[in-house]
């Protein structure tokens, strides 16, 4: 099997994370930079944006997420939420993924016939970026998972990290050392998911 397909198989949702990553923070930055540069986008729009948070900045994200959720989750059932936020905070860092709405709007104006498709294509492109980062981190022995606390935290994130107003938050990816391997993956029957015609 090719190295690429092996990398795909290696990528998993890892929730038990710690701060002990087997590569440098600079290597993580390099992975995200290369992914942003080389992940495909419709019309070569390059509308995806990323922010990488380490150390105190990473902790700040999960602290503000916890406090935002405290306002909407009933107090008597908040303990599991607090525990989950602590597990993300325990990681080494987080990658925030955004889409620049100015770019998408510009394409909608320029190519009116495809206007309704550009937001959909942007989501697809962003998903590919997320997947490239996730798989590349897995290849380096760094665990990660994908979270979606947007739009609840959008305003706080934008304010805290001076993110342009046109950047729409899409996902959050906490990453770190693998404290415990994920369980075996279960697969639905492939013949119900794939058709081949010759």
């Amino acid at each position: 099997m090719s190295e690429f397909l092996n990398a795909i198989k290696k990528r998993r949702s890892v929730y038990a994370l710690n701060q002990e990553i087997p590569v440098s923070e600079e290597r993580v930055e390099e992975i995200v930079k290369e992914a942003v540069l080389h992940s495909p986008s419709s019309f070569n729009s390059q509308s995806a944006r990323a922010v990488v948070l380490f150390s105190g900045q990473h902790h700040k994200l999960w602290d503000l997420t916890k406090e935002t959720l405290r306002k909407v989750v009933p107090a008597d059932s908040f303990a599991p939420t607090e525990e989950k936020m602590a597990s993300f905070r325990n990681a080494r860092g987080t990658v925030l993924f955004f889409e620049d709405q100015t770019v998408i709007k510009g394409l909608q104006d320029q190519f009116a016939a495809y206007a309704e498709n550009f937001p959909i294509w942007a989501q697809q492109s962003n998903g590919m970026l997320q997947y490239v980062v996730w798989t590349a981190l897995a290849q380096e022995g760094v665990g990660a998972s994908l979270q979606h606390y947007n739009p609840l935290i959008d305003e706080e994130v934008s304010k805290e990290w001076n993110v342009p107003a046109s950047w729409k938050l899409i996902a959050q990816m906490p990453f770190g050392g693998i404290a415990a391997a994920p369980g075996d993956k279960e697969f639905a029957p492939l013949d119900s998911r794939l058709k081949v015609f010759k």
Side-chain angles (χ1 to χ4, degrees):
M1 183 169 287
S2 75
E3 188 177 333
F4 177 67
L5 291 177
N6 278 325
I8 289 171
K9 288 173 69 174
K10 188 173 184 178
R11 185 225 50 85
R12 296 291 306 278
S13 292
V14 181
Y15 298 103
L17 299 170
N18 60 38
Q19 296 192 16
E20 306 303 315
I21 57 175
V23 295
S24 67
E25 291 184 350
E26 289 73 25
R27 178 64 180 143
V28 172
E29 288 180 52
E30 181 184 12
I31 287 169
V32 176
K33 284 177 186 175
E34 291 296 309
V36 168
L37 276 175
H38 298 290
S39 293
S41 59
S42 65
F43 286 64
N44 195 30
S45 62
Q46 302 177 51
S47 59
R49 305 289 182 259
V51 171
V52 184
L53 305 174
F54 290 108
S55 307
Q57 298 299 314
H58 157 75
H59 294 150
K60 196 180 292 185
L61 171 73
W62 295 106
D63 289 343
L64 75 80
T65 303
K66 179 179 73 174
E67 293 312 313
T68 301
L69 290 171
R70 192 185 300 278
K71 298 170 188 171
V72 296
V73 176
D76 59 351
S77 58
F78 190 69
T81 298
E82 191 164 27
E83 190 176 310
K84 188 181 280 192
M85 294 305 104
S87 74
F88 299 145
R89 191 184 193 278
N90 202 41
R92 181 62 172 262
T94 301
V95 182
L96 302 176
F97 296 93
F98 301 83
E99 277 295 319
D100 190 337
Q101 302 303 298
T102 302
V103 175
I104 296 167
K105 178 69 166 64
L107 287 166
Q108 288 177 311
D109 292 344
Q110 189 177 355
F111 302 101
Y114 301 111
E116 65 184 31
N117 290 320
F118 282 112
I120 298 166
W121 293 337
Q123 288 284 339
Q124 292 169 348
S125 296
N126 205 284
M128 287 188 273
L129 171 60
Q130 295 161 30
Y131 190 72
V132 169
V133 171
W134 201 349
T135 305
L137 288 174
Q139 275 296 88
E140 301 280 352
V142 178
S145 69
L146 195 63
Q147 305 302 318
H148 302 90
Y149 289 99
N150 43 291
L152 288 172
I153 63 171
D154 289 17
E155 188 177 333
E156 288 293 323
V157 166
S158 181
K159 185 168 52 177
E160 186 62 45
W161 288 283
N162 196 28
V163 174
S166 63
W167 291 20
K168 180 180 180 183
L169 185 59
I170 304 296
Q172 307 85 52
M173 184 180 288
F175 62 85
I178 301 172
D184 290 338
K185 193 170 184 179
E186 295 182 8
F187 297 94
L190 197 52
D191 60 4
S192 68
R193 302 169 62 196
L194 172 68
K195 293 186 184 298
V196 177
F197 300 94
K198 295 185 177 181

